[in-house]
Amino acid sequence: DAMVIQNPRYQVTQFGKPVTLSCSQTLNHNVMYWYQQKSSQAPKLLFHYYDKDFNNEADTPDNFQSRRPNTSFCFLDIRSPGLGDAAMYLCATSRGGAYNEQFFGPGTRLTVL
Amino acid sequence: AQTVTQSQPEMSVQEAETVTLSCTYDTSESDYYLFWYKQPPSRQMILVIRQEAYKQQNATENRFSVNFQKAAKSFSLKISDSQLGDAAMYFCAYLIQGAQKLVFGQGTRLTINP
């Protein structure tokens, strides 16, 4: 089945220690998104890639970076995680174009010690 | 700016009964889409139902249906014959045609009482 896969599902890191979260997709979608979701809140868009074009949200901290080496993979790098970065990180994809229904991965829950 | 408002942080319903979740939105656009997403506890967010703004007919997917009132900018979700598996956080979301960014409401946590 075509899908969005996130690894790992659970990640524990230490305060200030860089961490990378991974997302892959078999949908061959043009757009890949990263969201941060804190408990009982709506997902907050951090950035997205439309093909190779990177689009950062204005309020995304510099501490968050992303890479998309090819169509299938996208990575979220947190350079120096703080306690406030503990959250669920959701990856999503969409086809692009006029209608952009988004398909979500299961998420990676990040704990910062 | 587009906003989506879900005025019910929590709702509960007895199993087998019907519940309606409310959503209002604010936009000056004419071409857009509306969605209801379901996020069960510790599980993946999935699309429940979608509505194209240009369609007057309300969308229906099995036990899920919407009441789309374009002039009032209202988009409520009705769940009929509620089941225990319907327990989840429900997010209303809005998307401008051709845009990449979903605008989410704050969510409604739905509890199903057996």
Side-chain angles (χ1 to χ4, degrees):
Chain A
D1 287 340
M3 55 199 308
V4 182
I5 302 160
Q6 290 189 246
N7 287 306
R9 295 291 310 277
Y10 300 90
Q11 176 74 58
V12 180
T13 191
Q14 292 181 334
F15 183 94
K17 184 175 181 181
V19 65
T20 294
L21 309 183
S22 170
C23 177
S24 64
Q25 53 129 342
T26 60
L27 296 160
N28 202 31
H29 280 173
N30 297 104
V31 191
M32 295 187 76
Y33 307 80
W34 280 105
Y35 290 89
Q36 179 191 66
Q37 187 181 26
K38 296 192 175 181
S39 182
S40 298
Q41 296 182 19
K44 177 181 181 298
L45 182 63
L46 296 173
F47 25 59
H48 74 273
Y49 273 95
Y50 197 134
D51 295 326
K52 294 183 178 181
D53 292 333
F54 178 69
N55 299 270
N56 199 26
E57 292 298 300
D59 57 354
T60 298
D62 292 340
N63 198 28
F64 292 87
Q65 304 284 321
S66 186
R67 297 169 282 133
R68 189 179 186 186
N70 54 52
T71 300
S72 301
F73 284 86
C74 195
F75 300 99
L76 170 63
D77 300 309
I78 308 176
R79 294 193 295 186
S80 182
L83 298 179
D85 297 328
M88 178 73 85
Y89 289 88
L90 302 177
C91 176
T93 73
S94 71
R95 188 177 294 112
Y99 174 55
N100 275 311
E101 177 182 335
Q102 293 187 20
F103 296 80
F104 286 83
T108 294
R109 182 165 297 283
L110 178 68
T111 300
V112 181
L113 301 178
Chain B
Q2 292 81 24
T3 58
V4 177
T5 302
Q6 294 177 246
S7 59
Q8 306 150 315
E10 296 184 355
M11 292 279 286
S12 64
V13 64
Q14 290 296 124
E15 190 176 6
E17 297 196 345
T18 295
V19 63
T20 298
L21 308 184
S22 301
C23 174
T24 59
Y25 59 96
D26 186 23
T27 184
S28 56
E29 301 289 334
S30 57
D31 295 325
Y32 54 89
Y33 303 90
L34 295 163
F35 306 90
W36 279 99
Y37 280 92
K38 170 185 177 182
Q39 189 176 37
S42 301
R43 292 182 63 188
Q44 198 157 342
M45 187 174 300
I46 58 172
L47 180 67
V48 174
I49 198 165
R50 72 174 72 85
Q51 175 80 42
E52 293 89 340
Y54 65 85
K55 289 187 177 179
Q56 293 186 340
Q57 187 172 2
N58 289 325
T60 299
E61 288 287 342
N62 301 313
R63 298 183 294 107
F64 298 87
S65 61
V66 299
N67 184 4
F68 174 48
Q69 302 289 329
K70 190 171 184 179
K73 297 179 182 175
S74 170
F75 182 61
S76 61
L77 174 69
K78 185 171 82 171
I79 306 174
S80 303
D81 186 25
S82 298
Q83 300 176 1
L84 295 178
D86 295 333
M89 193 74 137
Y90 286 81
F91 291 99
C92 178
Y94 161 96
L95 176 68
I96 300 173
Q97 181 176 338
Q100 313 310 320
K101 184 176 178 178
L102 271 175
V103 179
F104 284 96
Q106 305 92 318
T108 297
R109 184 175 303 281
L110 178 65
T111 301
I112 312 296
N113 300 314

